[in-house]
Amino acid sequence: MIKDIYKNSNLIFTKFILVGVSLCFNANAQELDSLKIEAAEHNLELKAQYKSFEAQLEAVTQAKAWQDPNLSFGYFISPIETRVGPQIARFSLTQMLPWFGTYKARGNIASYRAEAEFEKFQDQKLKLFLKVAEKYYDISVLRFIAELELEQFKILEDLKSIVESNYENNKANMVDILRVELQIDKQLNVMQVLKQQDQVLVTQLNQLINRSLKTPILILNPQQILEQNKFIEIEAIHKNHPRLEAIRNLQESNHAEKDLAKKQALPQFGLGLDYAIIQNRNVMATDAGQDAIMPMLSVTLPVFGKKNKSRKKAAVLQGESLQFKLEHEQLQLESEIQVAKYKQNELLSLLGLYNKQLERLADILQLSEAALANAKMNIEEVLQLHEERLLYEKQRAKSLAEIQKNNETLNYLTSN
């Protein structure tokens, strides 16, 4: 029950941050796990959601609390004469008691609402993990592409040497050298742009973690991270996903509301005590001047039934609404999983295509560079082939990143 969470709410916050961060099998992937944990500990939006849960927990105590007793005092300006003396003042203490089980029903309503709030916190935590992973893979693919661009730069330098050698042997024109230099300048500009883009992504990831925006993100081997095999086979949603559990807890709260509506239609009891102060005036009686004590019992009469019928009807309608919401959320999760599975198959198909194209281009480039060295092929054609190879390499890298991000999405959609 929610009371166990209530007793250890601060400890629970740290505990459930760690739940959902799965252990990976290489050091680079573990870096992502540490980023997720750090984000869960410091992200302001997640902290706000947890505080909302703690605030809802306090409603449990409020719901189970008894009504405050009513104490009244009256002073008679003109004392009321009685047989034993004048009555000059009166105290009255009353405590109202609802029908049996009313406080329990109210406590159950607040408890289940608190549990629903906790499930929202769980869902927000999982969404935060997904956002961190997506930014992490965006940085990884950008740095992998930067490595590919650097490799392309070195290839262009080698091609320039070959063309210069051919020019010295009257096998090439100066325009061929200038064409290669033009590509080198273009390559340097591309590498500079990638560096600036990297800084933007690092800033965005640090913002999610809520730490200094200039904190470096260390990724030792981006290619290895992107090529790790973590393909997920999913058939259906998990029945205990936080998005579903939140609605189920609200349904339980609704059942308690129906029970409360029935109990509110029953009488309430009031226990009280009256104490009257009697002044002694030397009346010739054995009980002269003795104060009066009178126990009291009161009962409310719920004769106006419209409001009670309205409470019951509202609870029934709210229950129907929650059932529709649950069915819609189940369909929504199933739809999102099917879209992710379709995207996974599409990305794997594209990855296979890029791998085949790169294998063929590797053979073509080997032959073309040999032909260029023997002045049997134009430098422009060789540059075009290298540009095509780089394009496929970058498309392959982006597909790998999308596969990893899609896996993270599937992890979120099927979380328990």
Side-chain angles (χ1 to χ4, degrees):
M1 198 62 176
I2 198 70
K3 61 183 179 182
D4 298 323
I5 300 177
Y6 179 63
K7 292 178 181 178
N8 303 283
S9 59
N10 291 329
L11 179 61
I12 290 294
F13 176 62
T14 303
K15 177 181 176 182
F16 278 91
I17 281 171
L18 301 177
V19 175
V21 182
S22 58
L23 296 177
C24 301
F25 296 98
N26 58 74
N28 291 321
Q30 203 133 26
E31 171 69 18
L32 174 58
D33 285 349
S34 65
L35 289 173
K36 288 180 178 180
I37 294 174
E38 190 174 356
E41 290 174 345
H42 300 291
N43 182 267
L44 295 177
E45 189 176 6
L46 190 62
K47 283 185 176 183
Q49 180 62 40
Y50 192 78
K51 289 301 177 182
S52 178
F53 157 65
E54 287 187 315
Q56 188 63 47
L57 275 178
E58 295 300 324
V60 179
T61 303
Q62 298 172 32
K64 291 182 178 180
W66 282 31
Q67 296 181 33
D68 294 329
N70 183 35
L71 176 64
S72 59
F73 169 75
Y75 181 80
F76 295 97
I77 298 176
S78 298
I80 299 177
E81 294 291 342
T82 67
R83 181 181 63 82
V84 294
Q87 182 178 351
I88 61 174
R90 180 178 181 179
F91 292 91
S92 180
L93 180 65
T94 306
Q95 175 67 59
M96 294 302 298
L97 300 173
W99 191 263
F100 306 104
T102 299
Y103 286 138
K104 181 181 178 182
R106 288 176 179 171
N108 288 340
I109 292 172
S111 296
Y112 284 119
R113 285 179 180 174
E115 289 185 7
E117 201 68 26
F118 181 73
E119 293 298 338
K120 292 178 182 178
F121 160 75
Q122 286 285 71
D123 182 57
Q124 190 163 333
K125 180 193 66 177
L126 293 173
K127 287 179 178 177
L128 176 63
F129 289 165
L130 177 58
K131 290 178 182 178
V132 169
E134 288 175 342
K135 290 299 177 184
Y136 181 79
Y137 287 120
D138 285 340
I139 295 173
S140 297
V141 70
L142 190 68
R143 293 182 180 178
F144 183 32
I145 290 175
E147 292 177 359
L148 294 174
E149 297 288 0
L150 179 59
E151 181 184 347
Q152 178 79 347
F153 175 77
K154 294 177 180 179
I155 290 173
L156 291 174
E157 290 284 353
D158 293 338
L159 290 176
K160 181 182 177 183
S161 299
I162 294 174
V163 173
E164 287 176 340
S165 176
N166 288 343
Y167 177 74
E168 291 174 358
N169 295 322
N170 295 320
K171 295 180 180 179
N173 299 320
M174 178 57 71
V175 68
D176 295 328
I177 298 176
L178 295 174
R179 183 174 284 112
V180 178
E181 289 179 345
L182 185 65
Q183 287 297 320
I184 290 175
D185 292 339
K186 177 183 175 183
Q187 199 65 27
L188 288 171
N189 182 68
V190 169
M191 293 166 65
Q192 182 63 30
V193 171
L194 288 176
K195 184 178 179 180
Q196 295 171 353
Q197 291 177 348
D198 184 90
Q199 293 174 349
V200 172
L201 291 175
V202 168
T203 298
Q204 291 174 343
L205 180 52
N206 283 326
Q207 186 178 13
L208 282 175
I209 301 174
N210 188 31
R211 62 184 184 182
S212 175
L213 300 181
K214 295 184 179 180
T215 304
I217 305 295
L218 301 178
I219 300 177
L220 300 179
N221 193 336
Q223 182 178 359
Q224 180 183 352
I225 290 174
L226 294 175
E227 291 180 347
Q228 58 187 337
N229 294 322
K230 291 198 308 180
F231 305 126
I232 300 176
E233 291 294 336
I234 299 297
E235 295 300 328
I237 64 173
H238 200 288
K239 63 180 181 179
N240 292 331
H241 192 282
R243 282 161 58 178
L244 302 180
E245 284 297 290
I247 299 176
R248 291 193 184 104
N249 279 301
L250 290 177
Q251 286 182 316
E252 292 298 327
S253 176
N254 176 255
H255 294 328
E257 285 179 357
K258 292 177 182 177
D259 186 35
L260 178 62
K262 293 178 182 178
K263 295 183 183 303
Q264 286 178 328
L266 299 173
Q268 294 188 53
F269 300 96
L271 298 177
L273 189 68
D274 262 15
Y275 183 83
I277 300 175
I278 308 297
Q279 188 177 18
N280 187 354
R281 286 198 179 170
N282 298 319
V283 179
M284 300 300 293
T286 57
D287 54 354
Q290 184 176 349
D291 295 340
I293 299 176
M294 181 178 64
M296 294 189 302
L297 173 66
S298 60
V299 180
T300 62
L301 301 177
V303 294
F304 303 108
K306 286 187 177 181
K307 61 177 181 295
N308 296 322
K309 290 180 182 179
S310 178
R311 288 193 191 107
K312 295 177 183 178
K313 185 175 180 180
V316 171
L317 292 173
Q318 184 65 25
E320 293 174 356
S321 173
L322 289 169
Q323 182 59 34
F324 288 137
K325 286 183 179 179
L326 179 63
E327 293 174 5
H328 169 75
E329 201 63 49
Q330 288 174 331
L331 291 173
Q332 184 68 25
L333 281 171
E334 290 174 359
S335 173
E336 290 176 16
I337 288 176
Q338 291 302 318
V339 170
K341 288 172 65 177
Y342 170 78
K343 186 176 180 180
Q344 184 185 65
N345 294 332
E346 183 182 31
L347 289 168
L348 290 174
S349 177
L350 280 174
L351 184 62
L353 173 63
Y354 295 143
N355 287 334
K356 288 181 181 179
Q357 297 289 58
L358 286 169
E359 288 176 5
R360 293 173 182 172
L361 274 172
D363 295 335
I364 295 172
L365 284 168
Q366 186 176 2
L367 295 173
S368 65
E369 289 179 6
L372 178 65
N374 296 321
K376 294 182 179 179
M377 191 170 186
N378 194 318
I379 183 60
E380 189 174 357
E381 294 176 317
V382 177
L383 289 173
Q384 186 175 358
L385 286 171
H386 276 289
E387 190 73 21
E388 187 175 355
R389 178 200 62 80
L390 178 62
L391 177 62
Y392 281 121
E393 287 280 11
K394 291 194 289 187
Q395 292 296 335
R396 177 179 177 273
K398 291 176 181 178
S399 295
L400 288 169
E402 288 300 318
I403 288 173
Q404 298 301 334
K405 288 159 66 174
N406 195 66
N407 284 336
E408 293 288 339
T409 300
L410 284 170
N411 274 331
Y412 161 70
L413 293 173
T414 56
S415 292
N416 179 3

